[in-house]
Amino acid sequence: MSEGSTVLAPNAAAGDTQTARILIIDDEVAIRESLETLLVLEGYSVGTAPDGIKGLDELERQPYDLVLLDLALPGENGIDLLPRILDRRPELPVIMITAYGTVTNVVDAIRAGARNFVQKPWENEKLLADIRAAIAQHRTEEENVQLKRALKQRYTFENIVGKSESMLRILDLVAQVAPSRFTVLIQGETGTGKDVIAKAIHANSPRRDKPFVPINTGALPTELLESQLFGHVKGAFTSAHAAQKGLFEIANGGTLFLDEIGTMGLETQAKILRVLQDRRFRPLGSVQEVQVDVRILAATNSNLRQSVREGRFREDLYYRLNVVTIDLPPLRSRREDIPLLAIHFLERFSEENQLETRRLAPEVMRAMMDYEWPGNVRELEHVIARGVALSPTPVIPLDVLPGELTGRSYSASMLEHDANASLFDILEDIERRIIIDKLERCNWNQTEAAEQFRIPLSTLNQKIKRLNIEIRKKQKE
Ligand SMILES: Nc1ncnc2c1ncn2[C@@H]1O[C@H](COP(=O)(O)OP(=O)(O)OP(=O)(O)O)[C@@H](O)[C@H]1O
Ligand SMILES: [Mg+2]
């Protein structure tokens, strides 16, 4: 086949709905031909070039989706050519082809922005898998840009990413209920985006220029919570040295977001119900009622209906809150959102750290697609933040990922122990690892970890002390 020609194959490349176009730049005819045959048989359109100059020409002529670039080219070598390719097409995935034993050059190439490399002689299956992964990632990046543009045109959903049917349905629902005054109950596991959705509802409502006031109703003791919500007059209780406005008043005209409502005490529930019904309330210690116009959004990661059945949540309040319910699905049941979210966070953290955009090695993306994500989007966000921080190269390698993602999970390593260790020591070691793992998943929030373990917080704290577990600071959310 002649240089620069493209072969249009009848079948789409394996797994792809669109035929991708690949450019091979290599000076050895035999290599070009064997790669071309391999790729054409897979259904790709292929172009070839024997050197950098012809390669760049070819890139101008056709919209390629990927380049296979030989490292050792005559004249200008692959490493020098790479920046010139990326200048023209910054997002184009380039996979380097290298001879055995050119490790330092490979590192240079990855630093210069190559996605990956293959060593001669290559294994066809691995090469094809890497090509598929790089093209898929490239398409997701482009899709991400388009999606953001499309979403922006429809509503101001800043920073919400998703293309799964369930997320698109949720965004439609958000757009539909946002302009109204309806109370919305947002349910979902931890880290699924309940805060994000609450903010989007407010931002797309006529109240957007008025305050959005979030309060974590589960974190405060009753008296403190009530004085925060309803305010108090001077002297209402011993430490009330001055009058204080409550959040209901501060949120007047805007939105009050009652987060973690499932753990709110029954007394406070009764008072909230009253505000919802009458739109008025009495600050602590006051004889006068205050009238407010506040839209209520509520969120919970527990099953409120269950709490109603168990008498821990008022049924009448439940029905008041539950005018519209948004159920956020866990990330593991909308896996098509994983690549989009990953790329969204890669872009964000790279930008925040003033780095050129980081990418994921294909095996990292594969590991992410296979993982269960018990901490949902927040966990994914933290994994990417950590990857960007720890990766020595612009392409994030597998070994900077936490063990549970890469299959180096504690379940496998659990059985490995020093032959002389006592059963007691082994059990302690296992307990320590399980607790650390849980704390990591809960972002070092001990209350949440204790809840998930279904043990009292005090028991967890005792264990943390006894097992000498060093508490890392709760990460910023
Ligand atoms: N669809 C999404 N697109 C982009 N970022 C998201 C999305 N969903 C969640 N996030 C991000 O994931 C993180 C967790 O989301 P959020 O705080 O809204 O979760 P949550 O459901 O309120 O969790 P919790 O129950 O622990 O309060 C946030 O940093 C948020 O920005
Ligand atoms: Mg939240």
Side-chain angles (χ1 to χ4, degrees):
M1 281 169 252
S2 66
E3 306 310 342
S5 71
T6 53
V7 181
L8 277 170
N11 293 321
D16 269 342
T17 45
Q18 247 172 298
T19 309
R21 209 180 283 266
I22 300 177
L23 176 62
I24 303 165
I25 310 180
D26 197 310
D27 59 317
E28 282 178 63
V29 186
I31 301 251
R32 282 200 306 271
E33 286 184 350
S34 64
L35 281 174
E36 183 169 9
T37 311
L38 173 70
L39 296 175
V40 167
L41 285 175
E42 278 297 303
Y44 291 107
S45 294
V46 178
T48 57
D51 58 45
I53 307 221
K54 295 217 174 68
L56 289 174
D57 280 352
E58 187 54 27
L59 275 176
E60 299 281 320
R61 270 188 356 104
Q62 303 270 7
Y64 282 97
D65 298 295
L66 182 132
V67 176
L68 287 173
L69 174 61
D70 187 16
L71 193 77
L73 286 173
E76 190 174 29
N77 73 27
I79 297 247
D80 297 329
L81 187 62
L82 182 60
R84 303 222 283 147
I85 294 178
L86 295 177
D87 261 0
R88 288 174 168 74
R89 296 272 314 275
E91 303 305 322
L92 189 64
V94 177
I95 296 182
M96 304 297 291
I97 310 172
T98 65
Y100 179 73
T102 45
V103 182
T104 32
N105 290 342
V106 167
V107 174
D108 287 346
I110 297 285
R111 287 226 169 90
R115 292 287 174 103
N116 212 334
F117 63 92
V118 303
Q119 275 187 348
K120 288 186 261 193
W122 61 83
E123 275 171 49
N124 285 351
E125 279 317 307
K126 163 127 188 8
L127 175 62
L128 289 173
D130 286 352
I131 287 177
R132 272 196 296 272
I135 289 176
Q137 191 171 352
H138 177 52
R139 288 205 171 139
T140 310
E141 285 163 5
E142 288 187 332
E143 201 180 357
N144 193 22
V145 171
Q146 282 164 13
L147 202 79
K148 276 190 183 156
R149 210 174 290 145
L151 283 180
K152 233 184 219 142
Q153 276 167 7
R154 277 166 74 192
Y155 344 93
T156 47
F157 286 159
E158 257 175 78
N159 292 327
I160 302 190
V161 175
K163 65 161 182 175
S164 57
E165 216 173 287
S166 49
M167 272 316 281
L168 293 181
R169 238 184 293 127
I170 285 172
L171 293 183
D172 274 339
L173 186 56
V174 167
Q176 217 179 326
V177 297
S180 72
R181 202 178 172 285
F182 286 142
T183 302
V184 181
L185 177 63
I186 308 163
Q187 302 191 119
E189 286 180 15
T190 182
T192 45
K194 297 185 293 294
D195 280 61
V196 170
I197 292 295
K199 283 183 196 134
I201 293 176
H202 176 76
N204 288 280
S205 77
R207 299 168 175 262
R208 67 179 70 88
D209 299 322
K210 293 285 167 56
F212 172 82
V213 180
I215 174 161
N216 185 339
T217 52
L220 299 172
T222 303
E223 185 178 273
L224 192 56
L225 174 62
E226 291 191 1
S227 87
Q228 291 256 320
L229 283 173
F230 308 113
H232 56 74
V233 297
K234 189 175 166 187
F237 44 89
T238 353
S239 57
H241 302 303
Q244 192 195 319
K245 259 194 194 172
L247 296 178
F248 267 105
E249 231 176 313
I250 291 173
N252 199 8
T255 306
L256 184 65
F257 176 39
L258 303 173
D259 203 358
E260 313 221 354
I261 196 159
T263 45
M264 189 163 68
L266 284 163
E267 280 168 58
T268 319
Q269 289 176 27
K271 293 189 180 162
I272 299 263
L273 179 67
R274 214 185 136 230
V275 193
L276 280 174
Q277 280 168 342
D278 306 340
R279 301 189 186 180
R280 57 176 67 234
F281 64 92
R282 210 188 296 271
L284 302 190
S286 168
V287 285
Q288 267 179 358
E289 293 208 310
V290 180
Q291 176 101 32
V292 280
D293 165 29
V294 172
R295 182 195 201 163
I296 304 285
L297 303 176
T300 174
N301 56 22
S302 59
N303 185 335
L304 269 196
R305 197 183 287 272
Q306 177 79 18
S307 308
V308 170
R309 256 184 253 125
E310 290 166 5
R312 285 182 290 114
F313 204 86
R314 290 181 68 110
E315 191 170 15
D316 43 11
L317 179 58
Y318 174 67
Y319 286 114
R320 275 273 165 182
L321 292 175
N322 198 10
V323 180
V324 177
T325 307
I326 292 181
D327 277 309
L328 281 169
L331 190 55
R332 62 185 166 281
S333 61
R334 45 175 163 121
R335 291 189 185 272
E336 55 284 39
D337 289 345
I338 295 173
L340 273 178
L341 284 162
I343 285 165
H344 168 73
F345 293 132
L346 281 170
E347 283 172 0
R348 206 181 84 202
F349 292 123
S350 306
E351 202 180 300
E352 277 175 17
N353 293 291
Q354 291 162 2
L355 299 164
E356 57 177 293
T357 305
R358 283 353 195 189
R359 298 210 156 81
L360 302 177
E363 55 275 22
V364 173
M365 194 62 106
R366 281 198 287 273
M368 290 189 161
M369 291 304 285
D370 288 343
Y371 182 57
E372 284 300 294
W373 298 109
N376 295 296
V377 185
R378 179 179 298 112
E379 187 183 5
L380 175 63
E381 187 178 358
H382 288 165
V383 167
I384 300 278
R386 169 183 162 140
V388 170
L390 299 183
S391 175
T393 55
V395 176
I396 297 176
L398 198 59
D399 55 10
V400 302
L401 258 63
E404 59 270 26
L405 259 122
T406 53
R408 288 179 282 122
S409 67
Y410 58 71
S411 57
S413 60
M414 204 74 94
L415 299 175
E416 288 164 24
H417 281 281
D418 191 331
N420 297 321
S422 70
L423 180 60
F424 180 78
D425 288 340
I426 295 175
L427 290 176
E428 269 209 334
D429 182 47
I430 292 177
E431 192 177 14
R432 178 183 301 112
R433 284 198 251 172
I434 289 178
I435 291 176
I436 292 177
D437 179 70
K438 177 67 83 186
L439 285 166
E440 271 184 350
R441 285 168 198 263
C442 297
N443 196 20
W444 294 86
N445 180 332
Q446 293 165 49
T447 315
E448 198 178 319
E451 244 166 50
Q452 289 190 16
F453 275 142
R454 298 208 200 98
I455 56 172
L457 181 59
S458 55
T459 312
L460 180 65
N461 281 330
Q462 281 161 15
K463 285 180 188 291
I464 288 173
K465 257 197 212 123
R466 177 169 56 82
L467 298 166
N468 258 330
I469 294 173
E470 190 191 329
I471 291 296
R472 287 182 224 161
K473 227 179 82 221
K474 191 173 179 259
Q475 286 176 33
K476 223 180 96 223
E477 275 161 27

